Short mmCIF file of all heavy atoms in Angstrom, two decimals:
data_model
loop_
_atom_site.label_atom_id
_atom_site.label_comp_id
_atom_site.label_asym_id
_atom_site.label_seq_id
_atom_site.Cartn_x
_atom_site.Cartn_y
_atom_site.Cartn_z
N ILE A 13 -1.25 5.14 2.07
CA ILE A 13 -0.51 3.96 1.52
C ILE A 13 1.04 4.22 1.69
O ILE A 13 1.50 5.16 1.13
CB ILE A 13 -0.82 3.61 0.10
CG1 ILE A 13 -2.28 3.47 -0.06
CG2 ILE A 13 -0.01 2.38 -0.33
CD1 ILE A 13 -2.73 3.11 -1.54
N LEU A 14 1.69 3.48 2.55
CA LEU A 14 3.11 3.61 2.68
C LEU A 14 3.79 2.50 1.91
O LEU A 14 3.47 1.24 2.18
CB LEU A 14 3.51 3.51 4.16
CG LEU A 14 2.78 4.42 5.10
CD1 LEU A 14 3.12 4.06 6.55
CD2 LEU A 14 3.18 5.84 4.82
N ILE A 15 4.67 2.78 0.92
CA ILE A 15 5.24 1.77 0.08
C ILE A 15 6.79 1.69 0.40
O ILE A 15 7.46 2.65 0.36
CB ILE A 15 5.11 2.13 -1.40
CG1 ILE A 15 3.66 2.21 -1.67
CG2 ILE A 15 5.69 0.94 -2.20
CD1 ILE A 15 3.39 2.93 -3.00
N CYS A 16 7.22 0.52 0.80
CA CYS A 16 8.64 0.36 1.17
C CYS A 16 9.57 0.49 0.03
O CYS A 16 9.32 0.01 -1.08
CB CYS A 16 8.83 -1.12 1.76
SG CYS A 16 10.45 -1.38 2.30
N HIS A 17 10.61 1.20 0.29
CA HIS A 17 11.67 1.37 -0.72
C HIS A 17 12.99 1.02 -0.18
O HIS A 17 14.03 1.61 -0.50
CB HIS A 17 11.74 2.91 -1.36
CG HIS A 17 10.69 3.08 -2.36
ND1 HIS A 17 11.03 3.23 -3.66
CD2 HIS A 17 9.29 3.15 -2.22
CE1 HIS A 17 9.91 3.32 -4.43
NE2 HIS A 17 8.84 3.27 -3.58
N GLY A 18 13.08 0.00 0.67
CA GLY A 18 14.23 -0.51 1.21
C GLY A 18 14.84 -1.37 0.11
O GLY A 18 14.23 -1.59 -0.98
N SER A 19 16.08 -1.94 0.33
CA SER A 19 16.77 -2.58 -0.78
C SER A 19 16.08 -3.77 -1.32
O SER A 19 16.04 -4.01 -2.56
CB SER A 19 18.22 -2.96 -0.31
OG SER A 19 18.17 -3.80 0.75
N SER A 20 15.46 -4.60 -0.52
CA SER A 20 14.73 -5.80 -1.05
C SER A 20 13.55 -5.41 -1.76
O SER A 20 13.25 -5.98 -2.83
CB SER A 20 14.37 -6.71 0.16
OG SER A 20 15.49 -7.28 0.77
N CYS A 21 12.83 -4.43 -1.35
CA CYS A 21 11.68 -3.98 -2.05
C CYS A 21 12.00 -3.26 -3.45
O CYS A 21 11.33 -3.43 -4.35
CB CYS A 21 10.75 -3.10 -1.16
SG CYS A 21 9.93 -4.02 0.19
N LYS A 22 13.11 -2.52 -3.45
CA LYS A 22 13.54 -1.94 -4.57
C LYS A 22 13.85 -3.00 -5.58
O LYS A 22 13.50 -2.77 -6.91
CB LYS A 22 14.78 -0.99 -4.41
CG LYS A 22 14.45 0.24 -3.80
CD LYS A 22 15.70 1.15 -3.73
CE LYS A 22 15.46 2.45 -3.09
NZ LYS A 22 16.69 3.25 -2.94
N LYS A 23 14.43 -4.07 -5.19
CA LYS A 23 14.78 -5.17 -6.04
C LYS A 23 13.54 -5.83 -6.62
O LYS A 23 13.54 -6.50 -7.64
CB LYS A 23 15.64 -6.22 -5.45
CG LYS A 23 17.01 -5.77 -5.15
CD LYS A 23 17.87 -6.72 -4.41
CE LYS A 23 19.20 -6.21 -3.90
NZ LYS A 23 19.94 -7.18 -3.06
N ASN A 24 12.34 -5.68 -5.83
CA ASN A 24 11.10 -6.29 -6.17
C ASN A 24 10.14 -5.23 -6.78
O ASN A 24 8.94 -5.34 -6.48
CB ASN A 24 10.53 -7.06 -5.04
CG ASN A 24 11.25 -8.36 -4.85
OD1 ASN A 24 10.96 -9.33 -5.58
ND2 ASN A 24 12.12 -8.36 -3.88
N ARG A 25 10.70 -4.27 -7.45
CA ARG A 25 9.91 -3.31 -8.34
C ARG A 25 9.17 -2.20 -7.61
O ARG A 25 8.09 -1.72 -7.95
CB ARG A 25 8.93 -4.01 -9.23
CG ARG A 25 9.60 -5.22 -10.04
CD ARG A 25 8.65 -6.12 -10.67
NE ARG A 25 7.79 -5.49 -11.68
CZ ARG A 25 6.73 -5.98 -12.27
NH1 ARG A 25 6.36 -7.20 -11.90
NH2 ARG A 25 6.13 -5.31 -13.10
#
Side-chain angles (χ1 to χ4, degrees):
I13 304 175
L14 307 171
I15 305 165
C16 183
H17 277 253
S19 60
S20 294
C21 289
K22 281 184 182 179
K23 290 176 188 172
N24 284 284
R25 305 170 66 192

